[in-house]
Amino acid sequence: MTEYLSSPNESLRQGDVILAPVTVLVSRDEAPGADAPALPPRYLGDRAHTLLWSKSTRLVPDVVADTVFAPVLVLSHDCQLEKDFNERVRALVEEDGLLLDDAIKQASGDPALDPFAVVAPLRAYSEIPEHRHAGIRSGDRIGYFVLDALPGDGGDYAVDLGCVCTVSVLLLPQSGKVASLGPASVAELRYKLAEAYAIRDLSVLAELEAMVGHRILRTEALPRSNKKSALILHLDNGELIHLEVRRPRDELPEEITRTPAAQP
């Protein structure tokens, strides 16, 4: 079962579920009637098709923005969400001589720092072919992440990690936050992202199996610690192998947390 925090994070974090618009670019043929001006969404899940330009050429097709307003899952890692912010805080402290609290306050007020986040919309199982449901729910199907019993409506959802969108963090307000994943589920999300983007390389899997001399039945992600990632490999003979991937660099400075924006 998905683990959620008792109350949502006070600042934007990986694993947050937020009501927000997401857009996928499609061809004009896939969205008839896109000439009409788009109206604001009337309800969660409502879609709008907006023609971005017309009179296509051989190299530049007509493009329609297919936008939906719905719950989305933040996929960006915390380090990515506050990279510019941390660099600015350190510069204010080390170069300008500000106290840490004053530096955090000043950097928190700059919307140009870390302006974007990667998100993916939550999908009801009714939107996904039925033959995929069992594999998604069990965690065996690569490219999906499961959210069970979402706070608020109690529904079960899946996130297609192959259908992502980059949005402005200004479109991800604290007031629209539905829930935040707990530590165990964030670790599972990171593993599923790694699986979707990296472990599809079957040659790497074959090399690992050749090294250990057995077939790998499944892998299990462990919580990150000390700037390293760890996996448990489950072999066909019942043995387990603990695999660690360490970053080949000096230990990074401790990340600083952005001060939550004041609510209007």
Side-chain angles (χ1 to χ4, degrees):
M1 290 291 293
T2 308
E3 175 190 68
Y4 300 97
L5 298 180
S6 57
S7 59
N9 291 314
E10 293 184 351
S11 57
L12 191 63
R13 285 288 179 270
Q14 185 180 45
D16 283 346
V17 179
I18 304 177
L19 301 179
V22 292
T23 295
V24 176
L25 300 182
V26 300
S27 72
R28 189 174 184 177
D29 294 339
E30 297 173 278
D35 296 328
L39 298 176
R42 297 162 294 173
Y43 50 83
L44 292 180
D46 191 14
R47 289 186 175 276
H49 294 108
T50 307
L51 184 64
L52 300 184
W53 61 72
S54 61
K55 298 183 179 179
S56 61
T57 67
R58 183 175 62 86
L59 296 178
V60 183
D62 289 342
V63 178
V64 172
D66 178 7
T67 304
V68 60
F69 184 76
V72 301
L73 179 66
V74 178
L75 303 182
S76 297
H77 192 280
D78 295 347
C79 295
Q80 179 186 353
L81 293 172
E82 296 193 336
K83 181 178 181 181
D84 296 343
F85 170 78
N86 274 266
E87 291 178 351
R88 175 68 61 81
V89 169
R90 294 190 183 98
L92 291 171
V93 171
E94 297 171 5
E95 300 174 13
D96 295 356
L98 268 65
L99 296 176
L100 179 60
D101 289 345
D102 293 335
I104 292 175
K105 183 177 180 180
Q106 180 173 324
S108 296
D110 188 348
L113 301 177
D114 310 292
F116 302 115
V118 177
V119 302
L122 276 60
R123 299 181 64 186
Y125 280 91
S126 59
E127 302 175 17
I128 303 172
E130 188 173 355
H131 69 274
R132 299 181 186 173
H133 291 188
I136 293 173
R137 290 184 182 276
S138 67
D140 292 335
R141 181 171 282 272
I142 295 175
Y144 286 90
F145 179 76
V146 174
L147 292 103
D148 299 313
L150 183 70
D153 67 5
D156 295 340
Y157 296 90
V159 175
D160 183 349
L161 300 177
C163 182
V164 301
C165 177
T166 300
V167 300
S168 166
V169 296
L170 298 180
L171 296 176
L172 303 172
Q174 185 71 17
S175 59
K177 194 171 294 187
V178 175
S180 297
L181 297 182
S185 289
V186 170
E188 179 66 17
L189 172 61
R190 291 172 180 171
Y191 169 72
K192 295 301 289 184
L193 285 168
E195 180 184 56
Y197 295 131
I199 300 182
R200 287 182 183 274
D201 189 337
L202 298 181
S203 64
V204 173
L205 180 61
E207 290 176 5
L208 286 173
E209 290 181 336
M211 290 172 60
V212 301
H214 290 278
R215 189 163 66 90
I216 299 172
L217 298 181
R218 68 184 183 91
T219 59
E220 177 184 354
L222 298 179
R224 294 176 71 252
S225 62
N226 297 326
K227 302 300 180 183
K228 67 182 179 183
S229 300
L231 297 174
I232 296 293
L233 306 181
H234 294 252
L235 306 182
D236 59 3
N237 65 347
E239 294 183 356
L240 305 179
I241 292 182
H242 184 108
L243 179 66
E244 290 187 354
V245 179
R246 297 177 180 270
R247 299 182 66 169
R249 57 182 297 183
D250 296 334
E251 184 176 352
L252 295 176
E254 182 178 354
E255 295 297 321
I256 304 168
T257 300
R258 186 188 301 269
T259 302
Q263 296 298 309

